[in-house]
Amino acid sequence: MTTDLKPFMEVDPELCKGCQLCLDVCPKGVIGMSDKLNANGYRVAACVKEGECSGCAICALVCPEVAIEVYRG
């Protein structure tokens, strides 16, 4: 049985404080800053290259606010 599910990451916008640490560590460069603001007025990180996440979870490990979840499919 094979599956077509690809790894992906999600950012909880209300936890993200826009520190951009995840942008610096993503080996595939799939994370960028959204134009959207959260309730606290922070621009938040978001996946900007859908389908290219490798599922390495370095972004989630480095996030000081635990705002990132990585799903490996």
Side-chain angles (χ1 to χ4, degrees), residues 35-61:
D35 290 332
K36 298 177 185 177
L37 301 178
N38 66 14
N40 292 316
Y42 295 113
R43 283 185 62 211
V44 299
C47 182
V48 296
K49 295 181 182 177
E50 293 291 330
E52 293 188 33
C53 177
S54 68
C56 71
I58 297 171
C59 57
L61 292 172

